[in-house]
């Protein structure tokens, strides 16, 4: 923070009052373009063009920069107190809902630069004395910088509170609103968004996080949920039970969400995740959650193996086939034939070979074995498979994945 300059002389204080007074009087001329320029400068062109969001930002900037000009007009050279009124609270909550907290802070800095440029012009309009201008602008630089710095800190704290409030899992009113939306009950998007604290008019990826590790797992579940909710664009989270969390995060890029969840899973081993695909609007909110539920059912229990993150797109075909286990067993038998009883190392090599696009070189690298070993195992597989491997690679890959799930489900009473 800049050090405070010496107190203003009466003459310079009068000039600062005059300069700020001119800006207060002409606020309708400079405030709208200042807002639009500040939003555009930090990559919020869409917000600048959204009438409702732009109006909210104008009110917040009005409450911030006009507050500085108005206070300085009356008390030139004195520190300006920070007051977060309803307009600042409204835009803070709106930007939290949009996941734009970081750029919101940058917008204040951009606004400060434009407000100071206005003050420079106003200063030159009231005096052309170099000494008076230097003192006036040095004092204004210290005062405005200090004011914006304290405002940004206060807004950051406010956003943290808003973020914690709208994202807190398990709140009864949020859970009830989620259940209404998921059930297809008659509730307007605006009312639902107000109760959820979450925008429904964009694309969503649903996530289900759960643990099967008791109290120790629940503690990790809470931490993992907070990590996802507060990381990147803000997510919605509710707690249907003590060991499960339902989440939705805005976005159309599934892979980006998967990578974020995988990073969280690596830090919180007892917690497992199932993800739906990205879908838009209220209908997409429901559909992605249904897909996440199907992925969770596919992933839960002994049939899941060791995978911590299950994505619906990766198991969609398998889940369809496993819905009729008798048909799935028949498919495996027809595709694999005697190969279903091959040595585990051979089966694993063939699975990697199929996943690698039938590349011997890549299979050897991924299986950590010599190329000749891969070729020998593939020869054994070709001997037992009913159809040539390269001509039937996709079905062989699906059948191999089905084998493990069928065996694990057969080991669970009541799962067949």
């Amino acid at each position: 923070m800049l050090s405070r300059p010496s107190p203003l002389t009466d003459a310079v204080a009068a000039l600062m009052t005059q300069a700020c007074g001119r800006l207060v009087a002409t606020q309708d001329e400079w405030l709208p373009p200042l807002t639009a320029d500040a939003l555009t400068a930090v990559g919020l062109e869409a917000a600048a063009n959204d009438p409702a969001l732009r109006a909210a930002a104008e009110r917040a900037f009005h409450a911030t920069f006009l507050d500085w000009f108005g206070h300085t007009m009356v008390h030139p050279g004195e520190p300006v107190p920070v007051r977060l009124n309803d307009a600042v609270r409204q835009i803070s909550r709106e930007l939290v809902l949009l996941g734009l907290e970081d750029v919101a802070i940058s917008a204040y800095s951009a606004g400060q630069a434009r407000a100071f440029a206005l003050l420079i012009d106003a200063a030159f309009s009231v005096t052309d004395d170099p000494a008076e201008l230097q003192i006036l602008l040095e004092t204004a630089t210290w005062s405005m910088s200090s004011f914006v710095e304290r405002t940004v800190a206060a807004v950051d704290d406010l956003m943290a509170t808003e973020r914690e409030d709208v994202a807190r899992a398990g709140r009864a009113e949020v859970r009830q609103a989620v259940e209404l939306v998921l059930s297809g009950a008659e509730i307007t998007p605006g009312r639902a968004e107000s109760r959820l604290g979450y925008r429904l008019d964009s694309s969503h990826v649903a996530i289900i996080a759960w643990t099967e590790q008791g109290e120790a797992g629940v503690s990790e579940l809470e931490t993992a949920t907070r990590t996802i909710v507060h990381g990147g664009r803000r997510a919605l989270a509710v707690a249907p039970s003590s060991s499960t969390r339902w989440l939705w995060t805005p976005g159309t890029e599934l892979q980006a969400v998967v990578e974020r969840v995988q990073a969280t899973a690596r830090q919180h081993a007892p917690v497992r995740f199932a993800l739906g695909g990205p879908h838009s609007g209220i209908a997409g909110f429901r559909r992605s959650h249904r897909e996440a539920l199907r992925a969770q059912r596919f992933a839960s229990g002994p049939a899941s193996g060791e995978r911590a993150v299950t994505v619906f797109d990766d198991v969609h075909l398998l889940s369809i086939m496993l819905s009729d286990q008798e048909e799935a067993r028949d498919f495996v038998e027809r595709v694999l034939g005697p190969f279903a009883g091959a040595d585990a190392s051979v089966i694993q090599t063939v699975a990697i070979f199929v996943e690698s696009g039938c590349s011997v070189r890549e299979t050897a690298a991924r299986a950590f074995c010599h190329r000749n070993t891969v070729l020998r195992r593939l020869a054994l597989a070709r001997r037992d498979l009913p159809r040539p491997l390269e001509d039937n690679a996709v079905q062989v890959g699906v059948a191999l994945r089905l084998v493990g799930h069928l065996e694990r489900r057969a080991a669970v009473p009541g799962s067949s």
Side-chain angles (χ1 to χ4, degrees):
M1 182 181 296
L2 296 173
S3 58
R4 182 174 181 175
S6 302
L8 295 177
T9 64
D10 291 343
V12 175
L15 291 172
M16 182 170 283
T17 292
Q18 188 178 352
C20 289
R22 293 191 177 192
L23 291 171
V24 171
T26 58
Q27 59 185 275
D28 292 340
E29 298 176 10
W30 58 262
L31 184 60
L34 180 148
T35 303
D37 289 347
L39 293 176
T40 302
V42 294
L44 289 179
E45 292 87 352
N49 294 324
D50 182 323
L53 190 56
R54 179 171 174 171
E58 284 184 7
R59 288 192 295 271
F61 275 1
H62 184 284
T64 302
F65 294 108
L66 196 64
D67 200 14
W68 186 88
F69 286 124
H71 188 278
T72 302
M73 179 179 67
V74 178
H75 306 284
E78 295 300 316
V80 180
V82 173
R83 290 187 288 268
L84 301 184
N85 64 9
D86 291 342
V88 177
R89 295 180 186 279
Q90 178 188 353
I91 191 63
S92 296
R93 184 176 181 84
E94 183 71 12
L95 293 174
V96 165
L97 294 179
L98 291 171
L100 299 175
E101 299 99 312
D102 292 340
V103 292
I105 300 304
S106 300
Y108 273 101
S109 297
Q112 175 188 345
R114 282 149 182 77
F116 192 72
L118 291 168
L119 180 61
I120 292 174
D121 289 340
F124 275 93
S125 72
V126 297
T127 182
D128 57 4
D129 182 275
E132 291 178 336
L133 283 171
Q134 180 178 353
I135 297 171
L136 189 157
L137 295 178
E138 284 179 352
T139 301
T141 300
W142 162 78
S143 178
M144 188 177 289
S145 298
S146 170
F147 174 70
V148 171
E149 184 175 336
R150 287 180 285 113
T151 298
V152 165
V155 169
D156 196 32
D157 290 342
L158 175 61
M159 285 185 167
T161 301
E162 293 286 355
R163 186 166 55 238
E164 194 68 30
D165 180 53
V166 299
R168 185 176 294 116
R171 289 188 303 158
E173 65 274 18
V174 175
R175 187 167 63 249
Q176 182 183 37
V178 165
E179 290 169 354
L180 286 172
V181 173
L182 292 178
S183 68
E186 292 187 5
I187 181 170
T188 65
R191 184 182 176 195
E193 288 179 352
S194 176
R195 295 180 65 181
L196 293 174
Y198 178 84
R199 297 289 292 266
L200 292 171
D201 57 356
S202 61
S203 183
H204 326 273
V205 174
I207 305 167
I208 297 177
W210 77 100
T211 180
E212 301 168 8
Q213 301 297 320
E215 290 187 9
V218 170
S219 176
E220 290 287 338
L221 175 64
E222 289 286 356
T223 305
T225 300
R226 286 195 296 270
T227 298
I228 294 174
V229 167
H230 294 164
R233 301 183 67 186
R234 195 203 57 76
L236 166 69
V238 297
S241 71
S242 62
S243 58
T244 302
R245 298 293 180 269
W246 291 349
L247 302 97
W248 288 263
T249 184
T252 58
E253 297 297 327
L254 177 60
Q255 188 56 38
V257 179
V258 171
E259 290 173 359
R260 181 150 53 95
V261 172
Q262 287 174 333
T264 303
R266 287 192 291 270
Q267 298 296 320
H268 305 283
V271 184
R272 304 171 69 184
F273 301 87
L275 285 75
H279 302 291
S280 299
I282 289 183
F285 185 90
R286 300 187 191 107
R287 179 179 175 184
S288 189
H289 181 66
R290 287 197 300 268
E291 292 179 353
L293 285 173
R294 289 177 66 182
Q296 183 192 28
R297 286 194 294 270
F298 188 85
S300 295
S304 63
E306 300 300 323
R307 183 174 297 184
V309 180
T310 302
V311 182
F312 177 72
D313 284 353
D314 294 340
V315 299
H316 190 182
L317 177 60
L318 293 177
S319 67
I320 292 173
M321 299 188 73
L322 284 168
S323 63
D324 185 336
Q325 295 195 47
E326 193 61 38
E327 186 67 26
R329 291 189 182 95
D330 180 65
F331 175 83
V332 168
E333 184 178 341
R334 285 187 292 105
V335 172
L336 299 184
F339 178 65
D343 184 80
S345 62
V346 177
I347 290 177
Q348 182 183 33
T349 299
V350 170
I352 296 173
F353 179 71
V354 171
E355 292 175 1
S356 302
C358 299
S359 167
V360 172
R361 177 183 298 176
E362 187 173 344
T363 301
R366 290 180 57 186
F368 303 103
C369 60
H370 194 275
R371 181 175 185 275
N372 290 340
T373 302
V374 173
L375 292 173
R376 185 175 70 254
R377 291 174 180 174
L378 292 177
L380 293 173
R382 293 187 181 97
R383 182 193 65 191
D384 293 336
L385 285 167
R387 293 179 56 191
L389 174 57
E390 284 78 2
D391 295 343
N392 202 33
V394 173
Q395 293 197 52
V396 168
V398 173
L400 288 176
R401 294 188 68 182
L402 281 172
V403 167
H405 287 286
L406 287 169
E407 289 176 349
R408 287 190 290 268
R409 291 192 176 194
V412 179
S415 64
S416 59

